[in-house]
């Protein structure tokens, strides 16, 4: 059986759709396989908004990738006419020694990123929707804001299709294997071969990448929308920033401006306060006690929230032990398989540059982007 495609991409969510676009833009014959329909809400790339920021508290090593991602988001908007990024500005709030504040300041300083440090009084003056304690501070970044995940995925799929990619939806992959000088992929409907395979499995990483040897925990997360007590006027993107707010106990909550009109409210969520699950067993019902806990937390820092609860939705994090990504050639199949997984709740802002990196790795075996931090061997060696 001779290959009919140059590259097969498994998973067409955030990362997979971007990979399909970048691969097909370079002339590769691409087959994309997706378990669900296009732009679905069963994984991690949905919910109307995702924070983007450059002063990255997780690690300064991410900053060069973020700078490139910002460039690519602009290109994506111009190429498709879709709204992708809304740069409302953002604040990273907490005690000065909190990870959220100190880590953000470290990245901003190391990479000379434009930013301001605000004390509690100045935060309250600039952003009356926020009421920090006197001992809290914030790093303010004008270039922070939000991304539209559904628009981003749709835009990448649109471009990939226009460039000749063959995208199959509602066709789940059952298994894959090395085959001759490439790979063979089995689905419920067919068997395909290609010279290269790119796997972007999201929460299905434990099943599709069992031989990678990377521990990956799947967590259920909840997103909430509340109508502010006095409406959304003060929560518009030109008045209310995106924020990540860490309390003295280390609990982080994040939120957004009201971006979808007066009846859609403002979105908020806890960061990394989920429960272990699987894609097959996740509870997609949001319970009253969960809404109550979120509302009680908000009442201490945003005076106009919780207001009225509107709705909630679930998504999944795929979390590695060190909370960093996995982006690499597969150690057991370095000539034919590229993997991207474990984006740990902070990966969506990197979608376009990850797509570019995956195209580099699949087509040339290397990339000029700095990805040493994301080698799977860091985790397999630690667990050995």
């Amino acid at each position: 059986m001779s290959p009919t495609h140059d590259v097969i991409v498994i998973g067409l969510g955030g990362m997979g759709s971007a990979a399909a676009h970048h691969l097909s833009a370079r002339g590769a014959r691409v087959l994309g396989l997706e378990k669900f329909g296009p732009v679905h809400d069963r994984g991690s790339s949905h919910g109307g908004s995702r924070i983007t920021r450059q002063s990255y508290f997780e690690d300064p090593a991410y900053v060069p990738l973020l700078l490139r991602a910002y460039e690519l988001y602009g290109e994506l908007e111009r190429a498709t006419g879709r709204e992708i990024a809304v740069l409302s500005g953002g604040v990273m709030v907490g005690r000065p020694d909190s990870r959220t504040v100190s880590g953000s300041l470290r990245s901003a300083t190391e990479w000379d990123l434009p930013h301001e440090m605000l004390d509690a009084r100045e935060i309250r003056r600039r952003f009356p929707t926020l009421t920090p304690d006197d001992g809290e501070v914030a790093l303010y970044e004008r270039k922070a804001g939000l991304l539209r995940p559904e628009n981003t995925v749709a835009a990448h799929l649109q471009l990939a299709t226009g460039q000749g990619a063959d995208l199959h939806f509602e066709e789940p992959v059952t298994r894959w294997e090395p085959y001759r000088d490439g790979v063979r992929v089995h689905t419920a409907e067919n068997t395909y071969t290609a010279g290269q395979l790119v796997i972007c499995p999201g929460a299905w990483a434990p099943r599709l990448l069992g031989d990678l040897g990377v521990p990956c925990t799947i967590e259920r997360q909840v997103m909430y929308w509340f109508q502010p007590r006095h409406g959304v006027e003060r929560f518009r993107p030109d008045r209310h920033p995106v924020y990540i707010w860490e309390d003295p106990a280390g609990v982080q909550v994040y939120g957004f401006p009201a971006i979808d009109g007066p009846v859609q409210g403002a979105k908020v969520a806890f960061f990394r306060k989920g429960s272990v699950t699987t894609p097959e067993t996740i509870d997609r019902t949001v319970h009253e006690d969960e809404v109550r806990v979120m509302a009680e937390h908000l009442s201490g820092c945003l005076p106009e929230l919780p207001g009225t609860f509107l709705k909630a939705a679930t998504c999944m994090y795929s979390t590695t032990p060190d909370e960093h990504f996995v982006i690499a050639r597969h150690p057991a199949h370095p000539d034919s398989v590229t993997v991207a997984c474990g984006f740990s709740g902070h990966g969506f802002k990197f979608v376009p540059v990850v797509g570019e990196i995956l195209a580099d790795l699949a087509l040339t075996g290397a990339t000029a982007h700095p990805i040493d931090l994301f080698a799977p061997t860091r985790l397999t060696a630690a667990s050995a």
Side-chain angles (χ1 to χ4, degrees):
M1 182 186 299
S2 60
T4 55
H5 298 88
D6 298 318
V7 187
I8 296 174
V9 178
I10 298 178
L12 293 173
M15 306 305 174
S17 63
H21 158 51
H22 283 281
L23 285 161
S24 57
R26 300 184 196 186
R29 296 174 300 165
V30 176
L31 169 65
L33 298 171
E34 168 58 50
K35 180 181 180 67
F36 301 105
V39 198
H40 64 82
D41 63 356
R42 302 288 89 185
S44 303
S45 300
H46 61 279
S49 57
R50 290 288 186 276
I51 286 179
T52 188
R53 50 196 165 91
Q54 294 180 355
S55 301
Y56 217 59
F57 66 76
E58 287 84 350
D59 196 300
Y62 286 88
V63 174
L65 300 179
L66 286 163
L67 298 177
R68 177 57 177 157
Y70 270 60
E71 293 175 348
L72 291 170
Y73 276 122
E75 292 178 10
L76 191 62
E77 287 185 321
R78 291 188 291 273
T80 64
R82 298 176 185 267
E83 181 182 71
I84 304 295
V86 179
L87 300 186
S88 60
V91 286
M92 307 299 113
V93 187
R95 300 286 175 177
D97 61 349
S98 66
R99 183 191 183 201
T100 301
V101 174
S102 65
S104 298
L105 182 57
R106 178 189 172 199
S107 283
T109 302
E110 184 169 320
W111 289 97
D112 196 25
L113 300 173
H115 69 282
E116 297 178 66
M117 293 303 301
L118 311 178
D119 61 18
R121 181 178 180 181
E122 183 64 9
I123 298 168
R124 293 190 291 261
R125 186 188 72 80
R126 290 200 195 184
F127 309 113
T129 48
L130 311 178
T131 55
D133 292 338
D134 287 342
E136 293 181 308
V137 299
L139 182 143
Y140 171 70
E141 180 185 329
R142 183 178 58 82
K143 289 186 177 181
L146 63 94
L147 303 168
R148 296 280 201 172
E150 289 89 348
N151 282 4
T152 303
V153 175
H156 280 133
L157 295 177
Q158 173 188 333
L159 293 179
T161 300
Q163 291 154 182
D166 185 14
L167 307 182
H168 294 196
F169 298 95
E170 307 288 350
E171 188 171 350
V173 171
T174 55
R175 62 188 175 92
W176 62 271
E177 61 202 3
Y179 179 75
R180 295 181 180 172
D181 293 329
V183 293
R184 182 163 54 188
V185 176
H186 304 269
T187 73
E189 299 178 17
N190 213 330
T191 298
Y192 306 95
T193 60
Q196 295 290 323
L197 175 63
V198 174
I199 306 177
C200 303
W204 287 262
R207 185 174 71 81
L208 285 173
L209 290 173
D211 66 339
L212 187 61
V214 172
C216 195
T217 301
I218 310 307
E219 299 176 356
R220 172 186 177 271
Q221 304 289 335
V222 182
M223 303 171 282
Y224 306 84
W225 285 259
F226 291 91
Q227 180 66 252
R229 287 192 178 92
H230 303 297
V232 299
E233 182 63 22
R234 295 212 298 178
F235 283 77
R236 293 186 332 216
D238 60 342
R239 303 181 66 181
H240 178 75
V242 298
Y243 57 89
I244 300 177
W245 199 323
E246 182 176 340
D247 72 12
V251 176
Q252 292 170 303
V253 66
Y254 65 94
F256 299 83
I259 56 172
D260 289 318
V263 299
Q264 296 298 315
K267 176 184 166 185
V268 297
F270 285 113
F271 189 39
R272 303 195 188 287
K273 195 179 179 182
S275 56
V276 176
T277 188
T278 71
E280 293 75 28
T281 62
I282 181 173
D283 180 2
R284 295 195 180 273
T285 299
V286 178
H287 304 277
E288 290 183 6
D289 61 326
E290 295 178 297
V291 177
R292 184 178 64 253
V293 169
M294 182 80 258
E296 289 173 351
H297 191 97
L298 292 173
S299 65
C301 50
L302 286 91
E304 295 185 38
L305 295 178
T308 303
F309 171 66
L310 297 174
K311 63 178 181 178
T314 60
C315 70
M316 290 180 284
Y317 285 3
S318 306
T319 302
T320 63
D322 62 6
E323 298 177 357
H324 294 307
F325 310 157
V326 173
I327 308 173
R329 286 293 225 171
H330 195 305
H333 313 286
D335 295 328
S336 58
V337 182
T338 302
V339 298
C341 65
F343 289 95
S344 298
H346 63 111
F348 194 87
K349 59 186 70 64
F350 297 90
V351 156
V353 70
V354 170
E356 188 171 66
I357 291 167
L358 295 175
D360 290 342
L361 294 176
L363 298 180
T364 72
T367 182
H369 289 294
I371 62 169
D372 289 348
L373 180 62
F374 311 135
T377 49
R378 77 186 191 273
L379 299 170
T380 54
S383 62

